[in-house]
Amino acid sequence: MRKRAKALGLTILFVLATAASAPARAAPQLEPKVVLVTFDGVRWQDIFRGADPKLMNDPAYVNPDIKSDVIGPAYLDVADRASALTPFLHGVMAKDGVLLGNRDKGECAKVANDLWFSYPGYNEFQTGRPDPNLTGNGKTPNPNVTFLEYLQTQPRYHGKVSMVGAWDVFPYIVNTQRTDVPVNIGFNGTYPTDVKTAREGMRLLEKHDQRAVYIAFGDTDEFAHAGDYAHYLMALERGDDFLRQVWDYLQSDPYYRGQTTLMVLTDHGRGETPTEAWREHGSSRAYKLTPKDFPQYNETGVVGSDNVWFAAMGPGVKRDVASGPGAGECLHSAQVAASLVTALGEDWRAFSRQSAHDQAAPPFPFIGAPTPPSAP
Ligand SMILES: [Zn+2]
């Protein structure tokens, strides 16, 4: 105790001397930012259980040579399959933040919309509520206001809000005709693979003038629909590695460090049973709307494809509160919009009011106004 008191006394003397000789320097101001990253149509099963042995060993979905030489050793013949596939989500986000939606642990996370495909999902988590009238993936201008549009209309955020993504419907979901939120969807006219999207996303962050950035990846859904489980898994591993790059960058840069909340999620899940259901997603309502596709799902939909997962870390994440849903309760994608607004230190109810419906779902229980990192 005596030693410690003496050391403290010396420190105070040093600080006083420094303060007297140097010009007063203001305490660093917290200017919260949020980065949202989504991976289209990634199952909770692959996130929490890792590569599925049943699919890995099915030549219909994985080339046996690729399995034995490449992804078997990488994803399957390992002690912890989930960490082998998405090491950043499990090794960093789950430890320093939250990673939720593991049904094997009884965690419920679902979309609230009744269609279980992309446009309804992207609308739900960006606007704060499902819209039963949005029933297709077409280029329909969204009548609802996303968190991006809301922020763009606020003087403090105008010009500091951007999205980059791999789908030409995103400008309609964000409704760029109504508000000038920049939504970058194609890069030099080429199909934006996730690698290109990642590069554009990093460029956006490096501009240092953004406070809400949304980066949307799409390769996982493409490869899953094509029945290519190997490429689906590799796209997911690349995505996880992109998260690590983004987080390392954010922590290395004073513009972002200690002020930026990262949130990661998917727009919908996929099926599990029967085996081929992993390729598809959609509710019975969705299949009734497009009855020609996959008649085997017309009555039940792809069971379980409304199951999703959420990850978040940074100063807007309160790890001291119970992070998961209570027994019998579910987290819903509709809570994402209010969560992002809250993680910026803003009043989500004002967002809910001004986004014209006043019905946005509340933030996740583990999200709160950001606080500076505690003093050493
Ligand atoms: Zn899809």
Side-chain angles (χ1 to χ4, degrees):
M1 282 303 267
R2 285 181 60 89
K3 255 184 171 167
R4 191 190 155 101
K6 193 176 167 191
L8 188 64
L10 284 173
T11 306
I12 289 167
L13 276 176
F14 177 75
V15 168
L16 286 172
T18 311
S21 61
R25 197 161 32 152
Q29 199 77 41
L30 191 70
E31 190 197 56
K33 286 111 188 162
V34 293
V35 176
L36 172 65
V37 177
T38 59
F39 300 105
D40 198 300
V42 169
R43 304 189 309 168
W44 70 267
Q45 290 93 334
D46 303 299
I47 296 290
F48 294 101
R49 297 174 181 168
D52 182 338
K54 192 174 58 174
L55 298 177
M56 290 283 273
N57 290 311
D58 190 333
Y61 304 127
V62 176
N63 178 311
D65 289 342
I66 296 297
K67 190 232 151 186
S68 62
D69 296 350
V70 185
I71 64 169
Y75 302 147
L76 199 56
D77 311 327
V78 292
D80 182 344
R81 292 204 303 270
S83 292
L85 184 60
T86 50
F88 182 81
L89 283 178
H90 289 279
V92 180
M93 289 198 82
K95 289 196 167 71
D96 295 343
V98 296
L99 173 61
L100 294 163
N102 186 354
R103 276 88 195 150
D104 293 335
K105 282 166 72 179
E107 296 166 355
C108 179
K110 284 184 179 295
V111 297
N113 72 75
D114 66 353
L115 289 165
W116 316 350
F117 63 85
S118 286
Y119 196 133
Y122 287 104
N123 167 73
E124 177 183 334
F125 70 71
Q126 291 187 62
T127 69
R129 64 162 188 171
D131 182 343
N133 297 317
L134 293 170
T135 58
N137 270 345
K139 293 180 176 174
T140 308
N142 196 342
N144 310 305
V145 175
T146 65
F147 75 98
L148 294 170
E149 178 175 354
Y150 169 74
L151 293 170
Q152 181 77 340
T153 60
Q154 307 296 305
R156 274 175 303 148
Y157 291 89
H158 187 83
K160 299 179 175 181
V161 177
S162 296
M163 176 179 181
V164 57
W167 191 26
D168 57 4
V169 179
F170 283 137
Y172 297 85
I173 297 174
V174 178
N175 201 337
T176 54
Q177 287 174 318
R178 189 171 54 210
T179 313
D180 55 340
V181 176
V183 178
N184 184 355
I185 49 148
F187 322 122
N188 304 317
T190 57
Y191 175 76
T193 60
D194 283 357
V195 171
K196 292 189 180 71
T197 300
R199 199 179 297 139
E200 292 296 316
M202 282 305 294
R203 256 182 220 150
L204 206 48
L205 293 172
E206 287 164 357
K207 281 168 66 183
H208 282 133
D209 58 3
Q210 300 293 294
R211 293 189 61 190
V213 171
Y214 174 19
I215 303 167
F217 292 109
D219 283 358
T220 42
D221 193 65
E222 300 290 337
F223 286 118
H225 282 300
D228 187 339
Y229 193 57
H231 277 99
Y232 165 86
L233 293 179
M234 289 189 285
L236 185 50
E237 186 192 15
R238 272 198 302 277
D240 180 87
D241 197 62
F242 173 73
L243 297 176
R244 182 188 56 76
Q245 290 172 45
V246 164
W247 190 250
D248 285 353
Y249 173 71
L250 297 176
Q251 299 320 301
S252 73
D253 192 302
Y255 180 77
Y256 296 107
R257 184 170 49 233
Q259 312 178 63
T260 307
T261 299
L262 173 66
M263 195 171 288
V264 185
L265 51 130
T266 191
D267 57 328
H268 55 73
R270 326 194 71 83
E272 183 177 6
T273 313
T275 305
E276 68 266 21
W278 81 272
R279 295 175 61 170
E280 300 302 326
H281 56 88
S283 66
S284 60
R285 183 178 176 222
Y287 280 91
K288 285 191 180 94
L289 290 165
T290 52
K292 276 176 299 198
D293 295 347
F294 309 102
Q296 67 269 38
Y297 302 124
N298 284 357
E299 290 310 311
T300 58
V302 180
V303 173
S305 59
D306 56 337
N307 289 327
V308 294
W309 48 271
F310 305 105
M313 70 189 297
V317 178
K318 309 298 166 193
R319 298 200 68 228
D320 51 337
V321 300
S323 55
E329 291 172 11
C330 283
L331 302 175
H332 284 107
S333 299
Q335 296 175 267
V336 168
S339 294
L340 291 164
V341 170
T342 301
L344 283 166
E346 303 294 332
D347 177 8
W348 70 272
R349 287 181 184 82
F351 156 71
S352 184
R353 218 160 30 239
Q354 287 188 31
S355 62
H357 44 72
D358 208 4
Q359 291 167 28
F364 291 130
F366 53 84
I367 295 288
T371 42
S374 50

